[in-house]
Amino acid sequence: MTARPCLFRLARLRRHINCATRFRAGVYHAAPESGFLNSQDRGGSLVCCRATSSNNSAPKPPDTSLFVPVSLRTDVGVDESVGAELSQPLDKSELLKILNRFYKKKEIQKLAADNGLDARLFHQAFVNFRKYVLEVASLPADLHIILSDICAGAGHIDDIFPYFMRHAKQIFPMLDCMDDLRKISDLRVPANWYSEARAIQRKIVFHAGPTNSGKTYNAIQRYLAAKSGVYCGPLKLLAHEIFEKSNQANVLCDLVTGEERTFVDPEGRPSHHVACTIEMCNVTTPYEVAVIDEIQMIRDPSRGWAWTRALLGLCAEEIHVCGEPSAIGFVRELMFTTGEEVEVHTYQRLTPFSVLDQAVQSLDNLRPGDCIVCFSKNDIYSLSRQIEARGIECAVIYGSLPPGTKLSQAKKFNDPDDPCKILVATDAIGMGLNLSIKRIIFNSLVKPNINEKGEKQMETISTSQALQIAGRAGRFSSKFKEGEVTTMHRDDLPVLKEILSHLVDPIETAGLHPTAEQIEMFAYHLPDATLSNLIDIFVSLSQVDGLYFVCNIEDFKFLADMIQHIPLSLRSRYVFCTAPINKKQPFVCTSFLKFARQFSRDEPLTFDWICRHVNWPVAPPKNIKDLVHLEAVHDVLDLYLWLSYRFMDMFPDTALVRNIQQELDDIIQQGVQNITRLIRATDPTITESQNSRSGSAPAGSLSGGGGGGGGGHVMSRRGPKESNSLASRLVRDGLLTSDVLQQLQREWLKDQKSRIGTETEEGHYDDNNKGRRKKKKK
């Protein structure tokens, strides 16, 4: 490292009180494309970070609850019966007493702790050691002789300790290589993983602004003007949009996503420009310009590592970063560690939006250009059914729909000649789709989130999320030059105003994730550990400074546990577990398991095999259950395509699978266009005439609810809950018909009236008589 960068960084350190100086005797570097840490002896590297932990600081103690003991065989002796021949047979009952005394000695417990065995590990190791000594067919000669001497009074009980530790390290091999494991899992200087990027002085340009401010547009103009460039986006739809815009502008551009590779050159030669999803960006290919979109997602608990990798690792002369102003300070701080300046361009919204003073309250008050935002598919189904029951056509967009269906619904809503003027959507509209929306209506302000532990919890949306969604109202390129934002329910409106009045929380940390190479090195030291256990131990031992966190690994572990029993190489197992899978879909999880099992047998997954698995050709959906299944089938085909680019020999029929996936997309599009009919078929108790007359759903319907003027209000508050009522489930499963259900309701009401009359006659209080007791009839 030259003196100039060191002086530059030192100047930065003096300006930032929270930064700490760290000279590292050993700096770790990444192999190309891998991010794997290899030890190199170099001079002290000066880095700036806040709340860092230096090499000299005491490492955090490992979480020993993650250490799983290795099973040792007790049916075969190591040295046959040499020990018994040299000394004498051992008395098991006497041995048990000696071992228990050994366990209870405070000096032994302290000595074990000094050797890496905390109370939990010491207890586990002792129980395993005692079982081994008492049950093994023949002990090793040295251990047998020591125990024999102690039994005969010629030895001391402390003499057992070295043999106990030898056994402990056999069942807990990580004890013998803890220093190596800590080095492998040291994540404190990720900037040094990318030697190609550190070899050049990159220019970082931050385009900061809210939605619809033109920040990405300006970055893309520089991308198109460059000799070579890469666009890194959070969604396939965004990558596909840039791919099309580039080629329309006569800038040859390829498309690379997890499931697709499209080369515009007829012979398959790569173009100088590429549009990709951020996980797929290549950090070793040199570019003139790179664009990283939605940089604020660097703090995403699950995917943040991809933005960190792109920002630190892309080998481009200019890195154009687009995102919220809340990320400016953090990106600057992150770039201090690489010695790179950040140039900031700020933008304002091209079209304003305002928060209204009144909530919508009823679906009767909807207007053309309205978009109702929900956070669950149940609400989507319920609202779309109630809207169309009023004779109003609506488009539907939610996350699990195929990209083609989303684009089709967006086109339908945007088309001024189409009668569809209302959109019902989840927060999937927050990025990736150009929509002509006049008014955003929040149906709810609470959405499910995954916390740091991978647990699902309901939380009020953040200011960042609210602004991202609200910013879709009014768009520079649409007919609505000013946007409006409100809520469906009156009680939510002041809460929304409060949320939007706050500043977006500044970004403070960026995500990291262990690489396949790091896990392979862990497996070298811990050959008997499962992949899930290796990941747990890695995270437990990992050291990160104050700028970073380790991303959520629960989905990865879920898949690892699912296929643990299938014989796969560690690298193949790791790749399978990084597949983007919705674990809430049982059919997708089952397919994932079958794919792994077929792969382990070294049997290619052919087009015929996949067709048999998904029962292709499929029938058009007749109800919502069918539609959800077809969405899952689409995800399974996505999984096949994703794996086909990682294991080309085993997933050979990519083109054929892509063709049927396109056919399936068309079938799903037709189903979504007829979604109201599908909902009615799912729950026969819904009658259109009832829905037209009232603002709420009838009893026993998919959305539930009661009568009254606030139909929309009742629907959204109670719909998802009552959709799972016993009556609704029995009808849906075909165990009851709507006629039988209505007859049961009539009989139940009649029975209730009869019971009330009987109670009144027997002297109970009568509500109509204001609590006066009626006399019994004689």
Side-chain angles (χ1 to χ4, degrees):
M1 177 176 290
T2 62
R4 188 173 177 181
C6 287
L7 291 174
F8 170 79
R9 296 180 186 181
L10 186 57
R12 290 292 186 190
L13 285 172
R14 287 171 180 165
R15 286 183 231 166
H16 292 265
I17 298 174
N18 293 330
C19 292
T21 307
R22 179 171 58 195
F23 289 89
R24 304 192 63 207
V27 181
Y28 299 103
H29 292 275
E33 270 300 297
S34 70
F36 170 57
L37 307 175
N38 295 310
S39 179
Q40 302 287 337
D41 292 327
R42 294 182 51 179
S45 172
L46 185 64
V47 285
C48 165
C49 46
R50 72 191 152 177
T52 60
S53 54
S54 70
N55 273 359
N56 296 325
S57 63
K60 64 179 180 180
D63 182 358
T64 55
S65 65
L66 302 173
F67 292 1
V68 180
V70 176
S71 299
L72 300 179
R73 295 182 63 183
T74 59
D75 57 339
V76 178
V78 178
D79 298 327
E80 299 297 336
S81 57
V82 176
E85 292 175 2
L86 293 177
S87 57
Q88 60 184 3
L90 297 172
D91 182 348
K92 302 290 185 180
S93 60
E94 187 65 24
L95 267 183
L96 183 60
K97 294 177 184 177
I98 291 171
L99 292 174
N100 287 339
R101 280 168 46 209
F102 170 83
Y103 173 70
K104 292 176 181 177
K105 285 196 69 173
K106 297 295 182 184
E107 296 81 2
I108 295 296
Q109 295 175 13
K110 185 178 184 306
L111 195 57
D114 293 341
N115 282 270
L117 292 174
D118 63 7
R120 178 190 284 109
L121 287 186
F122 177 67
H123 175 73
Q124 281 187 283
F126 171 75
V127 170
N128 199 292
F129 178 68
R130 182 177 60 188
K131 180 179 179 182
Y132 172 76
V133 168
L134 297 177
E135 295 183 5
V136 73
S138 181
L139 287 170
D142 53 356
L143 177 57
H144 187 106
I145 293 170
I146 288 293
L147 292 174
S148 178
D149 288 348
I150 295 173
C151 290
H156 195 278
I157 195 170
D158 291 357
D159 296 339
I160 299 174
F161 185 78
Y163 304 95
F164 165 73
M165 280 304 303
R166 181 175 70 185
H167 182 86
K169 289 180 179 181
Q170 285 178 321
I171 63 171
F172 294 118
M174 61 284 296
L175 295 174
D176 230 3
C177 56
M178 194 61 71
D179 289 342
D180 291 332
L181 297 180
R182 288 189 188 279
K183 287 179 182 178
I184 296 168
S185 58
D186 190 341
L187 307 178
R188 287 176 292 183
V189 195
N192 287 345
W193 300 355
Y194 309 102
S195 54
E196 289 89 348
R198 299 293 77 79
I200 61 175
Q201 189 69 19
R202 306 180 306 170
K203 177 183 179 182
I204 312 297
V205 181
F206 196 124
H207 300 267
T211 56
N212 194 25
S213 60
K215 58 183 184 297
T216 305
Y217 171 83
N218 283 277
I220 293 301
Q221 294 310 302
R222 179 68 188 94
Y223 161 84
L224 294 174
K227 294 178 181 177
S228 62
V230 58
Y231 168 83
C232 308
L235 299 172
K236 287 185 284 187
L237 284 175
L238 283 171
H240 199 275
E241 181 183 347
I242 301 302
F243 164 73
E244 290 186 334
K245 283 184 176 179
S246 296
N247 288 298
Q248 288 169 4
N250 294 319
V251 177
L252 297 183
C253 176
D254 298 332
L255 176 66
V256 177
T257 70
E259 301 82 13
E260 187 174 0
R261 308 285 188 277
T262 302
F263 297 97
V264 293
D265 183 88
E267 297 180 7
R269 287 189 295 265
S271 302
H272 294 299
H273 287 71
V274 60
C276 64
T277 46
I278 193 150
E279 287 87 353
M280 300 305 299
C281 69
N282 190 320
V283 294
T284 58
T285 302
Y287 299 101
E288 182 181 345
V289 170
V291 176
I292 304 174
D293 208 355
E294 305 293 351
I295 187 62
Q296 67 274 6
M297 290 191 71
I298 200 169
R299 65 176 166 192
D300 185 84
S302 300
R303 299 177 64 201
W305 64 269
W307 276 263
T308 304
R309 175 176 172 270
L311 184 59
L312 296 178
L314 277 171
C315 190
E317 297 170 26
E318 293 181 26
I319 308 287
H320 289 258
V321 178
C322 307
E324 295 177 356
S326 62
I328 295 174
F330 180 75
V331 171
R332 275 182 170 147
E333 194 167 0
L334 210 57
M335 292 301 99
F336 292 160
T337 66
T338 64
E340 294 164 335
E341 290 277 5
V342 179
E343 177 184 314
V344 179
H345 298 173
T346 56
Y347 302 82
Q348 302 298 321
R349 270 186 68 89
L350 299 173
T351 56
F353 74 82
S354 57
V355 183
L356 302 180
D357 292 326
Q358 288 185 334
V360 175
Q361 293 189 283
S362 171
L363 297 178
D364 295 326
N365 298 326
L366 293 179
R367 303 195 302 255
D370 279 349
C371 171
I372 307 177
V373 177
C374 310
F375 296 115
S376 79
K377 280 205 293 188
N378 277 342
D379 283 350
I380 292 278
Y381 297 151
S382 185
L383 278 169
S384 59
R385 189 266 301 163
Q386 293 195 48
I387 290 169
E388 296 208 5
R390 288 165 165 76
I392 305 171
E393 193 172 343
C394 68
V396 172
I397 296 175
Y398 50 87
S400 59
L401 286 177
T405 304
K406 289 178 187 172
L407 290 172
S408 171
Q409 291 290 293
K411 183 179 179 182
K412 177 184 174 72
F413 174 71
N414 289 337
D415 187 353
D417 298 324
D418 196 289
C420 173
K421 301 301 179 190
I422 305 295
L423 175 63
V424 183
T426 62
D427 54 339
I429 64 162
M431 59 180 74
L433 288 170
N434 292 319
L435 297 163
S436 184
I437 298 172
K438 170 64 174 176
R439 183 171 62 166
I440 287 284
I441 302 167
F442 284 89
N443 186 59
S444 169
L445 297 176
V446 178
K447 69 170 291 186
N449 279 325
I450 304 298
N451 62 20
E452 303 81 20
K453 299 179 181 178
E455 301 166 339
K456 183 177 177 180
Q457 56 188 23
M458 301 300 292
E459 289 183 345
T460 302
I461 59 173
S462 66
T463 300
S464 175
Q465 291 168 332
L467 285 171
Q468 188 78 30
I469 298 168
R472 310 303 289 181
R475 192 165 182 83
F476 181 70
S477 58
S478 75
K479 63 180 180 181
F480 300 118
K481 301 307 179 186
E482 291 188 10
E484 297 173 346
V485 180
T486 186
T487 60
M488 177 63 72
H489 312 303
R490 186 170 50 196
D491 295 343
D492 287 339
L493 190 54
V495 179
L496 177 63
K497 289 183 177 180
E498 175 72 13
I499 292 171
L500 293 175
S501 68
H502 295 159
L503 294 175
V504 177
D505 293 335
I507 292 173
E508 298 180 345
T509 52
L512 296 173
H513 195 281
T515 66
E517 290 78 10
Q518 289 166 326
I519 299 305
E520 281 181 335
M521 284 301 296
F522 254 56
Y524 173 79
H525 291 292
L526 307 174
D528 295 305
T530 66
L531 178 55
S532 179
N533 192 224
L534 287 172
I535 289 286
D536 273 335
I537 297 173
F538 184 98
V539 174
S540 170
L541 295 177
S542 64
Q543 298 179 72
V544 294
D545 66 29
L547 292 174
Y548 302 98
F549 67 94
V550 179
C551 282
N552 188 296
I553 54 170
E554 293 307 311
D555 286 352
F556 184 97
K557 286 171 54 186
F558 173 83
L559 298 179
D561 290 335
M562 188 188 302
I563 61 172
Q564 181 55 43
H565 66 287
I566 298 176
L568 294 169
S569 68
L570 183 67
R571 176 58 71 102
S572 298
R573 192 181 301 277
Y574 181 95
V575 172
F576 264 85
C577 294
T578 56
I581 288 177
N582 182 358
K583 65 181 183 181
K584 298 176 185 175
Q585 290 276 13
F587 182 68
V588 178
C589 292
T590 302
S591 303
F592 173 78
L593 194 59
K594 288 185 177 181
F595 283 11
R597 190 175 292 121
Q598 183 86 349
F599 181 92
S600 71
R601 296 175 186 142
D602 205 23
E603 298 175 3
L605 287 87
T606 63
F607 177 70
D608 290 339
W609 187 94
I610 194 72
C611 284
R612 288 195 301 271
H613 174 66
V614 300
N615 292 321
W616 186 265
V618 295
K622 297 178 180 177
N623 50 46
I624 289 296
K625 185 178 179 181
D626 289 348
L627 180 62
V628 170
H629 175 70
L630 292 184
E631 292 169 6
V633 172
H634 192 279
D635 287 348
V636 170
L637 298 182
D638 253 353
L639 175 61
Y640 182 98
L641 295 172
W642 190 91
L643 290 167
S644 72
Y645 289 109
R646 285 130 183 106
F647 306 106
M648 294 184 182
D649 322 349
M650 301 301 293
F651 297 83
D653 296 328
T654 306
L656 294 173
V657 170
R658 193 175 301 285
N659 288 339
I660 66 170
Q661 189 185 45
Q662 183 57 56
E663 289 182 43
L664 179 59
D665 198 334
D666 294 339
I667 293 171
I668 292 174
Q669 285 183 39
Q670 292 300 317
V672 172
Q673 288 175 7
N674 298 314
I675 197 164
T676 303
R677 179 179 57 79
L678 299 184
I679 295 169
R680 273 202 304 270
T682 301
D683 192 339
T685 62
I686 297 174
T687 60
E688 195 164 324
S689 60
Q690 284 178 301
N691 293 329
S692 300
R693 287 194 303 268
S694 68
S696 61
S701 71
L702 185 70
S703 62
H713 179 89
V714 173
M715 175 279 307
S716 63
R717 299 279 177 149
R718 300 179 60 186
K721 184 176 180 181
E722 293 199 5
S723 65
N724 290 320
S725 66
L726 177 60
S728 183
R729 291 201 308 271
L730 290 173
V731 171
R732 189 161 57 243
D733 295 341
L735 300 176
L736 279 179
T737 66
S738 57
D739 292 335
V740 172
L741 180 59
Q742 291 171 8
Q743 183 178 348
L744 287 172
Q745 289 173 336
R746 287 194 296 270
E747 290 178 1
W748 183 82
L749 289 172
K750 183 179 179 181
D751 182 67
Q752 287 294 99
K753 290 178 181 178
S754 175
R755 186 182 306 169
I756 291 171
T758 303
E759 289 176 349
T760 303
E761 287 184 357
E762 290 180 353
H764 290 273
Y765 286 103
D766 186 352
D767 292 338
N768 294 326
N769 288 315
K770 298 181 181 180
R772 288 179 297 174
R773 186 180 293 274
K774 296 186 75 174
K775 295 182 180 180
K776 292 184 181 180
K777 292 183 180 181
K778 295 183 179 179

